[in-house]
Amino acid sequence: MSAPTPEQYDAKLAELEERIGELARQVELLQPGKKARIPASCQTGEKPFIAADVVLRCSPEAPIVLGDRVITHHGSKLLGPVSIGDMAYIGPEARIRSQTIIGKRVNFGPRVMLLNDGHEVGRTRRRAGKNVTHPIVIGDGVWVGAGAIVMGGVTIGEGAIVGAGAVVTKDVPAHTMVVGVPAYVKRELDT
C-alpha cells in the first residue's frame, strides 16, 4: 500500500476537520441552555463552535474576528484585538492576548498561552514598569503543542510545529519544528 499523495492527505484532513466540528456542535447541543456569549463587537464566520464558558473580551476598538469553522474549546480566554483564520482549532484553556493574528488551519493543544504583553523593567521600588505589548503572528497550518508559551514579538512561520511545553521567544521559520525552553529548531519539516 503506497503512502497517500499530499492532495489525498489534504482531502482526508478536511473531511476529518469537518467531522470534528460537527461532533463538537452536537456535544454543545446536548447542553441545552448553555450557549457561548458572543459580544456584538466579535465577528464569527460560518459554523463556529465556541464552548459556553469561553471568554471573549472585545470592543469596537479591539475586535475579535473568528473565521469559518473555528473551534474554541472550554475554558479559553481571548482578549481583542485578535484574528483567527478559517478552520483553526483552539484547545481547552488557551490564553490568547491582544494584537494576535492566527492563520488558517492552526491547531492548539490544551493550555497554549500567547503572551504578548508585559512590562519594561521599572525602578527599584516597583520592577514591573510601564506596560508594553508586542504582536504575535502565527502562520497557516501551524501546530502548537500542549502547554506551549509564545512570547510577544514572535512570528511563527507557515507549517511549523511548536513542541509541547516549549517557550518561544524568537521567530520560528516556516516548516520547522521547535522544542525546548527556550525553543530551538529541532529539525526542518517536509513541505
Side-chain angles (χ1 to χ4, degrees):
M1 182 172 185
S2 64
T5 67
E7 292 79 17
Q8 291 171 323
Y9 177 81
D10 287 346
K12 185 63 175 177
L13 182 61
E15 176 186 319
L16 290 172
E17 286 172 337
E18 176 66 27
R19 182 71 179 133
I20 288 169
E22 184 56 36
L23 289 171
R25 285 185 286 281
Q26 288 176 16
V27 167
E28 187 72 7
L29 291 173
L30 295 175
Q31 301 175 24
K34 289 190 175 184
K35 297 277 186 190
R37 186 184 152 289
I38 302 174
S41 55
C42 292
Q43 302 170 28
T44 61
E46 294 182 20
K47 298 182 180 179
F49 169 78
I50 304 169
D53 66 345
V54 168
V55 175
L56 301 171
R57 293 223 170 113
C58 54
S59 68
E61 299 78 32
I64 293 176
V65 179
L66 305 177
D68 294 344
R69 295 184 173 99
V70 170
I71 297 172
T72 309
H73 274 281
H74 70 86
S76 293
K77 295 182 180 180
L78 288 74
L79 175 64
V82 169
S83 175
I84 301 178
D86 297 344
M87 299 177 69
Y89 176 94
I90 308 301
E93 300 178 15
R95 299 295 181 263
I96 301 173
R97 306 290 292 181
S98 65
Q99 295 186 23
T100 299
I101 298 172
I102 298 170
K104 297 176 183 178
R105 300 173 313 281
V106 171
N107 284 33
F108 284 179
R111 296 187 181 96
V112 167
M113 295 195 309
L114 307 183
L115 303 177
N116 58 359
D117 56 345
H119 300 272
E120 293 177 352
V121 176
R123 300 177 63 94
T124 58
R125 292 192 65 183
R126 185 177 181 127
R127 288 296 182 194
K130 179 183 171 189
N131 187 277
V132 294
T133 304
H134 302 284
I136 294 174
V137 178
I138 299 180
D140 293 344
V142 169
W143 173 18
V144 181
I149 299 172
V150 180
M151 302 303 292
V154 167
T155 295
I156 299 177
E158 175 182 3
I161 296 174
V162 176
V167 177
V168 183
T169 60
K170 296 179 182 175
D171 289 352
V172 176
H175 307 292
T176 60
M177 176 188 291
V178 297
V179 298
V181 179
Y184 63 92
V185 175
K186 175 81 171 173
R187 68 183 176 104
E188 293 184 13
L189 303 168
D190 295 335
T191 56

